[in-house]
Structures are given as structure tokens and as C-alpha cells.
Amino acid sequence: MRSNHAIAGNSRIEPAVQNKSLQIGESATENELENRIENLDKLVHSVHDALHQVSFSGKLRALDLMNDLRVKIKATHNMLRVAKLLSEPARESMLSRVRDSLKDLEQVIASNLDVEMT
């Protein structure tokens, strides 16, 4: 009987521990997304600045592409900021959309800038 009581006692503690672990995991995921967005923004910003310093045919198109990417990065960052304010299940749904947008952005940037995203 005593062991049953101990098991019941552990089950009450377990969800609190699991909930705290889930929150830490969510935070890590959000921080990871935030870092990826910031890295993309820095990359596109530095390429944009470099484009301004050189003269070549197609410069306007390249600058337009960089401006477009910067707007998309900003929109993705704003989606992440909104997701952080939401509660479940909307939060996870929005974070999923952010992940998808970020993946698409990374692919577009990698192909247009001929860089490898890691």
C-alpha cells in the first residue's frame, strides 16, 4: 500500500516537471528561431551594403532582391514575436508557420546568394 502512495505522489510531481521541461524546450526553440532570423538579417544586410559599394550590370535587380529578402525576414521576425504572445495550441501552430517561412527564406537566400546554410 505504501508503494501505491509513493507512486501516486510521484505522478503529481511529474506533470509539473514535464511542464517545466516543455517550457524550457519551447524557449530553446524560440531562441533558435530568433538566432536564425538574426543571422539571416545580418547576412542579407551585409550583402546589401556590399552591393551599394560596387557598380555592375543588374545592380538594381540585386538591390531589389535584397530589399525583398529584408522585408520577408522582418515579417518572419514579427510572426515569431506574435507567436511568443500566444497560448497553446495557437502558439505551436504559429511557431510551425515561422519554421516553414524561415526554411523557405533560407532556401531562397542560399540559392540566390550561392551560400550554404547550416
Side-chain angles (χ1 to χ4, degrees):
M1 211 126 168
R2 189 173 203 179
S3 63
N4 288 342
H5 180 68
I7 291 171
N10 285 341
S11 66
R12 283 184 288 190
I13 295 170
E14 221 172 273
V17 171
Q18 288 174 347
N19 189 26
K20 190 165 197 110
S21 297
L22 182 61
Q23 289 173 349
I24 291 169
E26 287 173 355
S27 177
T29 300
E30 291 168 8
N31 289 337
E32 176 192 341
L33 291 171
E34 185 90 35
N35 289 337
R36 287 169 59 192
I37 291 168
E38 287 177 14
N39 287 339
L40 288 179
D41 189 46
K42 288 176 187 175
L43 173 65
V44 170
H45 184 74
S46 66
V47 171
H48 187 267
D49 287 347
L51 288 173
H52 274 292
Q53 296 176 4
V54 295
S55 181
F56 61 94
S57 169
K59 180 177 179 176
L60 289 178
R61 190 177 74 76
L63 288 172
D64 283 346
L65 174 62
M66 291 303 108
N67 286 331
D68 183 52
L69 291 172
R70 290 172 82 178
V71 168
K72 289 178 181 179
I73 291 168
K74 181 70 173 169
T76 303
H77 190 241
N78 286 339
M79 282 181 14
L80 178 60
R81 290 174 61 196
V82 169
K84 288 180 178 183
L85 300 174
L86 297 173
S87 58
E88 293 301 335
R91 177 188 192 100
E92 186 53 41
S93 176
M94 184 65 96
L95 286 173
S96 177
R97 293 180 76 186
V98 170
R99 279 186 214 99
D100 292 343
S101 292
L102 193 52
K103 184 179 175 184
D104 291 344
L105 266 172
E106 288 170 338
Q107 289 174 346
V108 167
I109 290 171
S111 66
N112 283 293
L113 300 182
D114 198 29
V115 294
E116 184 177 320
M117 305 304 284
T118 56

